[in-house]
Amino acid sequence: MILLLVSGASLVLGAILALALRGNVARATAALASQAVASAATLAAVVPLLRAGGGELVESWRWPYPIERIAVRVDALSAFFLAWSLPMTLLGTVYAVGYLRPYFDRGRNGGPHFALLNMTSLAFLVVYSVQNAMVFLLGWEIAAVAAWLLVIWDYRNQKIRFAGFNYLVSTHLGLFVLVAAFMLLHAQTDSMDFQTFRRVLEKPSRMRAAVFLLLGASFALKSAFFPLHTWLPRAHSAAPAHVSALMSGVIHKAGLFAFLRFTLLLGRPEAWMGWCVLGFGALSAFFGVLYTSSQRDLKRLLGYSSTENVGIAAMGFGVGYLGMAWHAPSLVVLGFAGGILHLFNHALFKCLLFYAAGAVYRATHTIDIERLGGLLRKMPRTAAMFLIGGLAISALPPLNGFVGEYLIYSGLLSGAGASPTENVVLVVIAALLAFVGAVSALSIVRAFGVTFLGAPRDASVHAAVDPPPSMLWPMYLHAAGVVIVGLFPSLGVAATRGATSLFRIADPSVAQLDVAAVLAPVTWAARVLAATLVVVGGLGWLAGRGARRHVTWGCGYTAPNVRMQYTASSFSSPFALLFVGFLPQLRRAKLPEQVFPQQNGHLATHHVDAVERRMFEVLGQGEEMATKASDKISEEPRVAFAAGLVAIVIIFGLLVGVGR
Amino acid sequence: MSAQIAVLALAHLVVLLTLPFVVVGVIQRTKALWAGRKSPPLFQLAFDAARLLRKRPVYSEVTTYLFRVGPYVVLVTAVVSGMIVPILGARAALGFPFDFVWFAYVWGLGRVALMLGALDTGSAFEGMGASREATFSAILEPALFLVGGAACLITHERSFDAVLALRATTVTGGAGAGVWAGSVVALFILVQVESARLPVDDPTTHLELTMVHEVMILDHSGPELAALQVGSAIKLTVGLSLVAAFLNPLTGRAGPPLAAAANVALCLLLAVAIGTVESLVARWRMRAVPQYIVVALIAAGVALLATTWQIGGAG
């Protein structure tokens, strides 16, 4: 416990120094050094807890009203999340030093930015370890506000301010729902301690159902589940690359963590909860991946893919819930192990992809993939990193993305359902997951192929080079993680074992499934595949040594130019047309007229978010109605009218309270 | 025991590496017969591959290492994924639980390598082919999982063994037949789409605007082209063998050598069927292909729904 306190103190000190010191080098050093100390101390504290039955750190302090008592409890679940969140934030800070260099060269003060990164780490320490709802909300809020301030780094740009504001509003809507849930629980237990919440949450009741739905909605918004995802693509495309990476890979995992934390308090869930989680997960995965298929903005595309991947993790949790409800221990183990492993894998490859996208932005000053092309030859290292991340995110073996999904498939296809109909539904969801995987491969082939392959599309995008080492090394480390967990999944399983073992049916008579044993055949298959690929690929490489070089075969056409390459929009067009109902397309066209056109034509297509569009429509209508209604009331009584409304709400609340 | 597995795996590998040449030859021969032409030798693909291996490749100036390595990834994924499919009508030596999930994703890796190689050339035609391949494979992907899931549910197996168990146990009533028929239809369409045969894609045309698979390999030459051709022949054979395993009447009723011989013979018969379809049907418009894929999905869905009837009726 003392180590965690050291870690927290180091982060606070680093933040203060980052604000107080003069010169960006000193500020960055303060932040990096303090985060390194914090990461080391945290790892030293939590690694022993990662084993199954590794014990837990418990502490509690008395505190003035209204908190009264801060209980801190670091169990295997907290330990697992802490073990990678802080080091990954440290890597993000290293990346920030390189990424923000051009701003620093122009004299921008980076102190607040580094301080905020420290505060993010501090928020992890708080959220992942406290047991008190008030302190939990405090940590939750630090993370949210810090993320908002990090997003609007480039605040002079109005679009970025809007994206940040959109995020701030959305995340606080989620906070209201969370506060409502905590208030319900507090009203029932007269306590703010998570362990006493267990009293209400353990027994099936209407109250438990309401709290479950409220908590679920709030955490789903935090992790950007469909249809609560609309803030995410905007925020991710507006933020600096390392902030997008940390938000998508690390910060928003807090939503899933909190969901798991409350799952532990839930006792035995009901089957409808499992279907709810599974259904929402499947919905998120499906719509998230649909939107990735047609984005022009590389970081926006990666943002939607976060919605997809948290959906996949939630599908795993849903399987685990159903296993608990049906008393099927193998489903519980496979579901939670698959979900937890997948969210860890996602943190590994999503940060990698965002860092690579950031390197592209730094080099070319655009992330509109339609304007890029042929970057692989100019930025070979970045391209290789993006490729590794992309193959992993499409869940292709032998990389890490496949491992978690294989566990989830094993659960979905195991036929352990309570009735044949339920089994059939699970198989249909497995087929949906297969669709998600294939579309994600489509999106990543499109994003990688158009950005890094072929020839440069736009002459105004100038020559690019690989980024400095401070940006490359975080990518290398993440890529190494992706490959290592892919080839040695037992390492990933070992890291998640403690956390997974908390989600068990406490019944000594049933044999517990060993996840490592489930993965053993796939592990060997992946190694054989990797080895064969290296050997045959190497031999093939040698066979092509004496090759001649020539122009690309133009099918008889002798004057092709770079503008004739297939674009990203044309690549995704056949697919997007099949799903046009979900993927509304905005089209601005001025086509050439007559046989000999006098003027140049142009065509621009843009895929917008159907949910966001509809939401703004509804909000717009609502605002219009409200304006009209209030216009009917003259100026003076309007205040009285509002006061009356408030009074009605209070009286109604009192009546309900008294009636109980 | 392990020696037995080794022998079985070796036999499996030998069949996997030789049968594709015969299958392609049989298809060519069938088509020649229908067209009234003299057919090329049965092992024409082998001769072609040998000739291509001796040639020096030509690379486009815009291509990178992905273009150079891609064809070998296609070849390796075809062979490695083929090792777990019961092409001998008996349990594949290297099968494991939910191997069909792995199988689908390894095929996916080969597809991604092919599409990246196509985009690497910067050619509009190849981009078009890659786009179509990605679209069709995305909507086709669920079919294999529906069929696999249905077979697993009805037989309580967890791998490609389910196919064999489905044949070996006499599944009673129309429900069992529903699973079986739906699976066969879905898988046959899957093979047609995945290995780029008519009526989805024309492996012989030179009209680039209408092609899917062939257009992606326009720029490949020499050993890489050989790897691609052999790789897609292996994929075709693996797919047909899987359908053959569904059809094989001797599974579980005769000794392994006999069952294996029957499976290989059935695979060649299916090659004749593919050749016949190619001779009698013209390639469809691109717009019709998704509809054809939906037929596969519906057939797979029927197979899956039939399981509830079966299990519900028994329990």
Side-chain angles (χ1 to χ4, degrees):
Chain A
M1 188 51 70
I2 195 80
L3 284 169
L4 289 181
L5 289 176
V6 168
S7 174
S10 158
L11 288 171
V12 173
L13 184 69
I16 293 171
L17 283 178
L19 289 172
L21 287 175
R22 300 190 68 80
N24 282 323
V25 176
R27 292 168 188 145
T29 314
L32 287 173
S34 64
Q35 286 202 29
V37 170
S39 299
T42 309
L43 278 177
V46 301
V47 164
L49 307 179
L50 286 175
R51 287 174 296 120
E56 45 194 42
L57 300 173
V58 187
E59 191 77 50
S60 95
W61 298 287
R62 298 190 66 78
W63 207 263
Y65 182 82
I67 294 174
E68 290 170 355
R69 177 174 288 278
I70 301 179
V72 173
R73 182 159 155 267
V74 182
D75 58 2
L77 184 67
S78 316
F80 169 68
F81 275 84
L82 285 172
W84 52 268
S85 294
L86 271 73
M88 282 194 191
T89 313
L90 174 63
L91 286 182
T93 313
V94 173
Y95 184 92
V97 175
Y99 186 80
L100 299 177
R101 169 67 51 78
Y103 295 93
F104 296 157
D105 290 346
R106 290 202 297 271
R108 178 95 188 256
N109 179 353
H113 196 80
F114 288 119
L116 286 167
L117 286 168
N118 269 23
M119 294 313 280
T120 309
S121 275
L122 185 69
F124 292 142
L125 275 179
V126 174
V127 168
Y128 292 161
S129 59
V130 296
Q131 294 287 311
N132 184 297
M134 295 286 272
V135 188
F136 180 88
L137 284 176
L138 184 72
W140 198 254
E141 200 47 21
I142 294 175
V145 175
W148 167 58
L149 290 170
L150 286 169
V151 166
I152 56 166
W153 162 257
D154 209 357
Y155 61 87
R156 287 188 184 88
N157 183 335
Q158 194 272 334
K159 270 190 178 162
I160 288 174
R161 283 203 309 275
F162 175 71
F165 185 67
N166 197 337
Y167 167 67
L168 193 66
V169 171
S170 300
T171 189
H172 282 93
L173 287 179
L175 185 73
F176 291 150
V177 180
L178 186 58
V179 169
F182 283 165
M183 281 162 77
L184 276 180
L185 287 168
H186 180 71
Q188 296 289 313
T189 61
D190 203 23
S191 158
M192 276 294 182
D193 190 72
F194 286 172
Q195 294 307 317
T196 43
F197 288 172
R198 194 192 281 272
R199 285 213 306 270
V200 182
L201 291 172
E202 250 171 2
K203 291 180 291 292
S205 66
R206 208 177 293 170
M207 178 60 76
R208 170 167 106 151
V211 170
F212 174 79
L213 289 177
L214 286 173
L215 288 174
S218 173
F219 300 148
L221 198 141
K222 189 76 182 172
S223 295
F225 277 80
F226 181 89
L228 309 169
H229 66 278
T230 49
W231 55 270
L232 170 130
R234 278 182 193 282
H236 282 34
S237 92
H242 56 281
V243 177
S244 314
L246 291 179
M247 278 174 84
S248 173
V250 189
I251 300 178
H252 295 138
K253 294 298 182 316
L256 292 175
F257 165 82
F259 182 75
L260 290 173
R261 168 64 68 223
F262 278 89
T263 301
L264 284 177
L265 303 176
L266 209 53
R268 186 171 170 184
E270 291 149 81
W272 68 264
M273 295 178 175
W275 287 116
C276 221
V277 176
L278 189 58
F280 258 99
L283 207 64
S284 280
F286 178 76
F287 281 99
V289 84
L290 273 192
Y291 284 117
T292 60
S293 72
S294 52
Q295 296 304 317
R296 287 182 65 159
D297 178 326
L298 195 53
K299 280 163 77 188
R300 215 177 142 88
L301 185 154
L302 294 175
Y304 277 117
S305 131
S306 295
T307 294
E308 170 212 337
N309 279 287
V310 291
I312 293 174
M315 284 164 85
F317 300 155
V319 170
Y321 263 70
L322 288 176
M324 283 180 165
W326 294 338
H327 207 83
S330 65
L331 277 193
V332 179
V333 173
L334 288 173
F336 283 109
I340 293 175
L341 194 55
H342 187 79
L343 70 86
F344 174 59
N345 286 335
H346 178 239
L348 281 174
F349 53 64
K350 184 50 69 65
C351 291
L352 173 60
L353 286 168
F354 267 120
Y355 292 154
V360 169
Y361 180 70
R362 261 295 300 279
T364 63
H365 302 288
T366 181
I367 37 172
D368 181 359
I369 55 181
E370 302 284 25
R371 295 179 59 203
L372 299 169
L375 287 180
L376 191 144
R377 269 161 297 139
K378 289 174 184 160
M379 311 173 68
R381 297 192 176 93
T382 310
M385 292 302 112
F386 194 94
L387 183 63
I388 291 177
L391 292 178
I393 208 168
S394 313
L396 294 173
L399 297 176
N400 69 346
F402 180 72
V403 182
E405 289 199 22
Y406 175 80
L407 288 177
I408 298 173
Y409 275 122
S410 306
L412 287 171
L413 293 169
S414 63
S419 77
T421 323
E422 282 161 347
N423 278 327
V424 165
V425 175
L426 289 183
V427 170
V428 169
I429 289 178
L432 192 75
L433 183 54
F435 173 80
V436 168
V439 180
S440 142
L442 180 155
S443 308
I444 228 70
V445 164
R446 171 179 175 272
F448 181 82
V450 174
T451 309
F452 291 99
L453 301 179
R457 282 180 173 71
D458 189 340
S460 67
V461 173
H462 290 295
V465 287
D466 267 324
S470 59
M471 288 164 75
L472 279 174
W473 274 97
M475 286 195 243
Y476 291 158
L477 291 174
H478 275 276
V482 164
V483 175
I484 289 172
V485 177
L487 291 178
F488 302 94
S490 50
L491 292 177
V493 172
T496 57
R497 180 165 291 142
T500 313
S501 69
L502 296 174
F503 302 91
R504 289 243 161 127
I505 295 176
D507 182 355
S509 67
V510 288
Q512 296 291 355
L513 199 65
D514 183 13
V515 181
V518 173
L519 282 175
V522 200
T523 308
W524 281 106
R527 288 178 195 164
V528 168
L529 177 67
T532 326
L533 281 176
V534 168
V535 171
V536 178
L539 288 177
W541 184 265
L542 290 180
R545 268 178 311 174
R548 280 190 302 132
R549 287 274 172 182
H550 204 267
V551 293
T552 298
W553 166 235
C555 300
Y557 186 67
T558 51
N561 66 40
V562 291
R563 296 274 293 158
M564 288 180 193
Q565 292 178 88
Y566 228 47
T567 61
S569 326
S570 17
F571 189 90
S572 59
S573 153
F575 181 79
L577 279 179
L578 292 177
F579 292 92
V580 74
F582 302 129
L583 286 171
Q585 190 192 48
L586 295 185
R587 190 183 161 94
R588 276 183 293 120
K590 188 173 156 304
L591 301 178
E593 290 165 0
Q594 299 163 354
V595 182
F596 298 103
Q598 301 297 312
Q599 287 173 331
N600 289 338
H602 65 81
L603 168 70
T605 58
H606 184 60
H607 286 275
V608 289
D609 192 310
V611 177
E612 190 183 59
R613 212 172 140 78
R614 184 76 197 128
M615 196 173 75
F616 280 138
E617 268 173 31
V618 171
L619 285 179
Q621 281 169 4
E623 193 189 347
E624 218 169 279
M625 272 163 57
T627 321
K628 273 184 190 155
S630 74
D631 280 349
K632 283 182 188 156
I633 311 162
S634 57
E635 184 66 33
E636 275 307 308
R638 205 182 288 170
V639 181
F641 183 71
L645 271 182
V646 173
I648 288 170
V649 170
I650 292 173
I651 292 167
F652 184 73
L654 283 175
L655 282 177
V656 171
V658 169
R660 206 160 52 83
Chain B
M1 189 60 198
S2 62
Q4 207 177 352
I5 289 178
V7 169
L8 193 60
L10 199 66
H12 192 112
L13 188 63
V14 168
V15 172
L16 187 64
L17 294 180
T18 50
L19 191 59
F21 297 99
V22 187
V23 166
V24 170
V26 167
I27 292 179
Q28 279 170 348
R29 190 147 283 194
T30 314
K31 287 171 81 170
L33 210 66
W34 278 100
R37 284 185 282 113
K38 189 171 177 297
S39 101
L42 200 58
F43 286 96
Q44 185 62 44
L45 176 62
F47 301 142
D48 286 347
R51 181 170 49 83
L52 285 170
L53 280 178
R54 286 197 306 272
K55 293 213 168 200
R56 194 167 61 139
V58 180
Y59 298 136
S60 157
E61 276 150 2
V62 290
T63 56
T64 62
Y65 55 86
L66 284 172
F67 180 81
R68 238 169 115 174
V69 173
Y72 301 104
V73 177
V74 173
L75 181 65
V76 167
T77 53
V79 174
V80 171
S81 63
M83 286 306 285
I84 53 173
V85 177
I87 61 173
L88 291 181
R91 189 169 195 282
L94 305 176
F96 52 86
F98 302 114
D99 48 8
F100 60 92
V101 174
W102 196 73
F103 172 82
Y105 277 83
V106 174
W107 268 25
L109 178 64
R111 227 166 20 223
V112 165
L114 186 62
M115 292 190 283
L116 287 178
L119 288 173
D120 204 2
T121 61
S123 147
F125 296 115
E126 302 200 25
M128 188 183 290
S131 159
R132 288 171 179 166
E133 172 92 354
T135 307
F136 296 157
S137 61
I139 49 179
L140 184 65
E141 190 85 343
L144 181 68
F145 286 77
L146 291 174
V147 168
C152 285
L153 285 187
I154 204 165
T155 59
H156 303 292
E157 291 282 345
R158 300 185 153 203
S159 62
F160 278 120
D161 286 355
V163 180
L164 310 175
L166 187 65
R167 287 303 299 158
T169 59
T170 37
V171 183
T172 49
V179 176
W180 179 79
S183 306
V184 170
V185 171
L187 284 180
F188 192 74
I189 297 177
L190 187 136
V191 172
Q192 281 184 326
V193 179
E194 282 284 346
S195 42
R197 311 304 304 193
L198 284 168
V200 174
D201 185 14
D202 192 341
T204 54
T205 181
H206 290 283
L207 186 59
E208 293 84 358
L209 285 175
T210 62
M211 299 195 304
V212 184
H213 182 263
E214 294 298 303
V215 77
M216 284 192 283
I217 63 176
L218 269 181
D219 263 273
H220 289 283
S221 55
E224 278 104 62
L225 187 58
L228 281 173
Q229 287 181 343
V230 174
S232 50
I234 294 177
K235 273 180 80 174
L236 173 66
T237 309
V238 167
L240 289 181
S241 302
L242 189 57
V243 181
F246 264 101
L247 297 172
N248 193 344
L250 295 184
T251 304
R253 293 184 186 78
L258 209 58
N263 219 60
V264 170
L266 269 170
C267 178
L268 294 178
L269 264 178
L270 283 168
V272 173
I274 292 263
T276 308
V277 171
E278 301 212 339
S279 306
L280 300 181
V281 182
R283 199 190 59 72
W284 290 346
R285 285 173 309 151
M286 274 303 156
R287 226 173 282 170
V289 174
Q291 294 165 11
Y292 192 52
I293 294 176
V294 168
V295 172
L297 288 177
I298 291 172
V302 167
L304 182 62
L305 285 180
T307 60
T308 60
W309 189 11
Q310 163 73 20
I311 300 168

